[in-house]
Amino acid sequence: MQKRVKVTIEDVAAAAGVSRQTVSRVINNGPNVKPAVRQRIEAIVERLGYVPNISARRMGGARSYLILSINDRARTFENWQSGRGNDWVDQMLYGGMSECERHSYHIVLELIDTDSDSTIPQISRVVGSLRPDGVILTPPHCDNPALVGWFERQGIASARLGHREGGAHVDVFMDDAGAMREVTAHLLALGHRRIGFLAGPPSYGPSQQRRSAFEAALDEAGLPPAAGQVGAGNFYFDMAVGVLEAMLDSPEPPTAIIADNDKMAFAALHVAASRGLRVPDDLSVVSFEDTPAVRLSVPPLTAIRQPTAAMIGKACAQLIAISRGEEGLGAFELPYEFVVRASTAAPRA
């Protein structure tokens, strides 16, 4: 059997009649290449089956062509082990991979503990091994000032989800407070005056923005504090079940529930069914997130559709630009969508 000859970048350059540097710029989506030349080189790359060597690319310059995204280790593993999946992670990887592929980059997901004593040592080992061009910090890591400061001292560009300050960072966010005000206004307009909120953990900045907006919206509507019950379901199905059971057992139970993620909204549907409550006749339910399963629930859930994939994609695009020496810092707001489905209605008289 004849051994396959490895195609090199020099082979591509010779076939295209251009320099090695020109081929390198095309492979790395660099500037200053005429469209016709770029098209010819891309066709030759495909015809010859040339595969760029990422190690050689890293040795040839300061860039690693890697974007690192870190996620909450304990929560991610818990969702996997429980068999309930990680729809948020799926959307994150979809957005990141799609954008990185456009620039011949790669995205790597690492799970890091949120415990302050172990976070920095873990991330230090990962960064030392991968040497990423940029890092995406998802909640709650993006809200950890010690971790954010560590990346600043290392000179590694970071993108924070849910922050809007910009400055020395790439901040990508949606208007969480505005989304909560819109959801609460929707329920108030239907006639609900007792509304429960299944909140995420205190360490998640976007969740706390929603909680503050929820309480402010009820206050602006002239309702007493008791009109809005808040319980920390912490994004877990089982914990949300217990919190909602307690709310419904209170002297003035809520007629509507806002859940901070889809798993807690599914918990609300589960509790309602176990008590013989009809959704939305006896209990309206709204979710933040809007993963595909929401549209298949019974009834389909009214939800805030978070632009998770788009936010990760935008974070990758800005970090890649910075790695190329281009301007990329700043705060970038992406729009959410409020989708009204069959799980909300006026409360019973």
Side-chain angles (χ1 to χ4, degrees):
M1 181 176 179
Q2 187 175 7
K3 185 178 180 181
R4 182 180 177 183
V5 178
K6 182 178 179 181
V7 179
T8 68
I9 191 171
E10 286 78 11
D11 297 329
V12 176
V18 299
S19 69
R20 183 184 190 279
Q21 289 74 19
T22 300
V23 176
S24 178
R25 283 197 294 271
V26 171
I27 293 170
N28 296 318
N29 288 322
N32 305 322
V33 181
K34 293 180 180 179
V37 175
R38 182 181 297 274
Q39 187 175 7
R40 185 169 79 251
I41 292 172
E42 289 174 345
I44 291 172
V45 166
E46 183 176 357
R47 177 167 58 84
L48 297 181
Y50 172 65
V51 179
N53 186 315
I54 191 168
S55 297
R57 293 168 73 192
R58 295 176 70 169
M59 290 171 60
R63 285 186 285 168
S64 67
Y65 300 91
L66 294 176
I67 299 297
L68 172 65
S69 181
I70 64 172
N71 210 47
D72 184 339
R73 179 184 178 85
R75 195 172 307 281
T76 304
F77 270 118
E78 192 279 336
N79 286 333
W80 277 330
Q81 290 166 350
S82 68
R84 297 190 178 112
N86 280 288
D87 291 319
W88 193 92
V89 173
D90 291 344
Q91 287 297 303
M92 183 193 73
L93 290 175
Y94 166 61
M97 287 181 175
S98 298
E99 185 62 29
C100 285
E101 187 178 65
R102 291 181 58 243
H103 303 279
S104 299
Y105 266 65
H106 303 271
I107 187 168
V108 178
L109 171 66
E110 286 287 338
L111 304 180
I112 303 296
D113 289 324
T114 58
D115 176 68
S116 58
D117 293 332
S118 58
T119 299
I120 300 297
Q122 284 184 27
I123 201 66
S124 178
R125 289 192 294 270
V126 171
V127 168
S129 173
L130 297 176
R131 295 183 293 141
D133 287 334
V135 177
I136 299 173
L137 303 175
T138 66
H141 294 298
C142 58
D143 302 312
N144 182 343
L147 182 58
V148 173
W150 185 86
F151 281 111
E152 290 177 352
R153 291 190 298 275
Q154 303 302 312
I156 300 174
S158 62
R160 303 180 300 182
L161 293 194
H163 282 252
R164 56 180 66 211
E165 294 83 9
H169 303 91
V170 175
D171 284 345
V172 185
F173 62 96
M174 66 172 246
D175 186 1
D176 287 281
M180 177 56 85
R181 286 193 296 269
E182 187 168 353
V183 166
T184 308
H186 169 71
L187 294 174
L188 291 173
L190 289 173
H192 293 278
R193 293 299 178 266
R194 298 193 307 274
I195 305 172
F197 177 41
L198 298 173
S203 58
Y204 277 62
S207 182
Q208 295 314 300
Q209 294 173 31
R210 296 169 195 166
R211 175 172 182 163
S212 297
F214 170 69
E215 293 171 342
L218 295 183
D219 182 63
E220 291 167 6
L223 297 177
Q229 298 186 47
V230 179
N234 290 351
F235 298 145
Y236 290 121
F237 180 95
D238 295 332
M239 191 175 294
V241 166
V243 171
L244 184 53
E245 292 278 13
M247 287 184 180
L248 294 176
D249 286 337
S250 65
E252 294 188 329
T255 60
I257 291 293
I258 303 171
D260 216 358
N261 76 338
D262 289 345
K263 284 187 175 62
M264 294 195 294
F266 295 146
L269 295 180
H270 176 86
V271 170
S274 70
R275 289 176 170 242
L277 300 176
R278 293 174 60 88
V279 176
D281 298 335
D282 302 309
L283 185 70
S284 286
V285 180
V286 182
S287 177
F288 272 76
E289 199 171 7
D290 199 43
T291 55
V294 162
R295 296 154 225 177
L296 304 177
S297 65
V298 180
L301 285 170
T302 294
I304 290 290
R305 181 176 296 166
Q306 298 184 59
T308 302
M311 288 195 294
I312 295 294
K314 181 62 175 176
C316 288
Q318 297 308 117
L319 292 174
I320 291 170
I322 293 170
S323 75
R324 292 172 170 170
E326 303 167 7
E327 181 58 46
L329 300 175
F332 305 89
E333 179 177 351
L334 274 64
Y336 65 85
E337 185 179 355
F338 183 37
V339 186
V340 178
R341 300 192 181 96
S343 66
T344 51
R348 289 187 185 275

